[in-house]
Amino acid sequence: MTTMQVARVHGPGDVRLDDVTVPKPGPRDVVVRVEACGICGSDLGYIALGGTGAPLSEPMPIGHEFAGIVEWVGTDVRDVQPGLRVAVNPDDRNIGNGGLEGAMARFILVPDAKIGSSLYPVPAHVAPELAALAEPLSVALHGINLVDVKPDDKVAVIGAGPIGLSAVVMLRHRGVKNIVIIDREDSRLARARALGAETTINASTGSITEMLAKAHGEGTRLGHRHVDTDVFIDAAGAPPALADVIAIAKFRARISVIALYKKPCAVDLFKMMMNEIMLIGSIALGRHAEFGEAVDMIVAGEINLAPMISHHIPFEQFNEAIDTARDAANSAKVMLEFV
């Protein structure tokens, strides 16, 4: 095979499978044969926006949640041999996130490849689609770490999409038991329960304040009611939901924003100041240790991750896979598979 197809964004709403030359490794690179690549909400955002928001000088390749088998190795690469099964951390070269490579293709060049930096070995018993989950799981773990979640914390996850579900998994992995997740779709909440959420709240059926108060307890401070949730993980990216969280958060509650907000939103800084609320954003860079921890958790098989993946779709049905991922009410993680 000398050519292959790769998914590239050409402009707003314009994503195509382009024919390109199969990559060859430079001295410090490897080429990975992709076995599975998840479709992320940011991929859909790049398609809608026409890239990262900056002008495109050439089409932008996408795909950053992937696992596969090392096919070719550069002459200066050490400790890596062809045939090694790996999950790949895309951060170092912005793979699929504005860089020169994207993993929605049969082969991908991983520049300056190193074990424990970009490459994480995966044993043969781990299915490639599970190994590909290391990327979203480590995104969630990074956001969890930023707000220093402890096992006895009461945690509420806002949004039961793939990152919200990843947060539930990694909270369980860290020993947190009191996990509430909030969404508007019963099917998504069912997945969260299967992954270990203790309590699920359908925000369309009643007051979030009342339901969180029942799950986590409540109190008052300076005449204002609050819920006793210690940590909120925002995986929804919905300004009204964030406003509701700040309105009901207790003194020194911590809020980690992992969600992608596509527009600016108003924040009640008076409420944040009066209650010393921590609000921090999480872009999940510099997460080598967290990526490795996610891989180790997957390999150990301590949590059944199957409920995270709603669809397995061959790469040849790329457009169908993208349409399926856009249907958030009826999909979770959509996995492109290469056979």
Side-chain angles (χ1 to χ4, degrees):
M1 179 186 292
T2 59
T3 63
M4 66 177 189
Q5 290 187 311
V6 60
R8 299 197 300 181
V9 175
H10 288 253
D14 184 2
V15 61
R16 309 175 199 171
L17 291 181
D18 293 332
D19 291 323
V20 300
T21 301
V22 172
K24 296 181 179 179
R28 296 184 299 176
D29 312 331
V30 304
V31 172
V32 171
R33 174 161 52 87
V34 180
E35 292 186 289
C37 181
I39 298 176
C40 177
S42 61
D43 295 319
L44 302 179
Y46 294 145
I47 294 170
L49 188 62
T52 61
L56 287 177
S57 58
E58 59 184 53
M60 174 186 153
I62 56 174
H64 58 275
E65 301 180 358
F66 67 105
I69 300 172
V70 174
E71 190 80 3
W72 300 296
V73 176
T75 55
D76 294 344
V77 176
R78 300 291 177 260
D79 303 320
V80 180
Q81 299 296 326
L84 181 68
R85 301 185 70 246
V86 292
V88 181
N89 181 348
D91 290 351
D92 292 349
R93 294 300 182 100
N94 295 321
I95 291 173
N97 288 300
L100 298 177
E101 294 83 27
M104 292 185 186
R106 291 195 175 276
F107 296 94
I108 182 169
L109 180 77
V110 179
D112 199 21
K114 297 183 182 69
I115 298 292
S117 177
S118 53
L119 302 180
Y120 293 76
V122 177
H125 75 269
V126 177
E129 64 268 23
L130 297 183
L133 293 175
E135 201 283 334
L137 290 170
S138 62
V139 167
L141 182 58
H142 187 76
I144 289 166
N145 283 342
L146 287 176
V147 285
D148 193 25
V149 177
K150 299 293 193 296
D152 60 351
D153 278 333
K154 301 172 183 176
V155 182
V157 178
I158 316 300
I163 294 300
L165 297 178
S166 296
V168 170
V169 169
M170 299 316 288
L171 287 165
R172 281 191 62 200
H173 164 69
R174 285 292 182 84
V176 180
K177 294 182 174 60
N178 199 333
I179 305 168
V180 173
I181 190 163
I182 302 167
D183 201 274
R184 292 181 171 273
E185 296 290 341
D186 285 335
S187 61
R188 289 153 66 104
L189 293 172
R191 292 183 184 278
R193 285 194 297 274
L195 290 165
E198 183 179 60
T199 304
T200 56
I201 293 174
N202 188 320
S204 66
T205 64
S207 165
I208 293 177
T209 301
E210 297 300 331
M211 290 186 277
L212 261 183
K214 182 177 180 181
H216 283 167
E218 62 178 298
T220 59
R221 181 173 183 272
L222 302 177
H224 296 275
R225 185 187 186 193
H226 62 75
V227 297
D228 281 337
T229 305
D230 298 298
V231 176
F232 295 88
I233 305 295
D234 179 5
L242 181 60
D244 288 345
V245 164
I246 292 171
I248 62 176
K250 71 176 184 177
F251 184 68
R252 291 185 177 171
R254 292 109 71 196
I255 305 170
S256 179
V257 179
I258 309 177
L260 175 64
Y261 278 80
K262 297 177 181 178
K263 295 181 180 179
C265 67
V267 174
D268 188 344
L269 293 178
F270 177 78
K271 193 67 178 280
M272 289 185 62
M273 180 273 292
M274 289 295 293
N275 280 332
E276 294 190 357
I277 296 169
M278 174 193 285
L279 175 67
I280 188 167
S282 173
I283 193 61
L285 294 177
R287 56 177 161 147
H288 296 128
E290 291 153 333
F291 200 98
E293 184 174 342
V295 170
D296 289 344
M297 188 273 297
I298 294 167
V299 172
E302 62 187 62
I303 297 173
N304 177 17
L305 300 175
M308 287 189 63
I309 302 174
S310 61
H311 295 81
H312 303 255
I313 299 179
F315 179 61
E316 290 76 12
Q317 297 169 232
F318 173 79
N319 290 327
E320 176 187 332
I322 292 295
D323 289 342
T324 301
R326 287 184 176 124
D327 184 5
N330 295 302
S331 68
K333 179 58 62 184
V334 175
M335 194 66 65
L336 287 168
E337 297 184 340
F338 299 77
V339 294

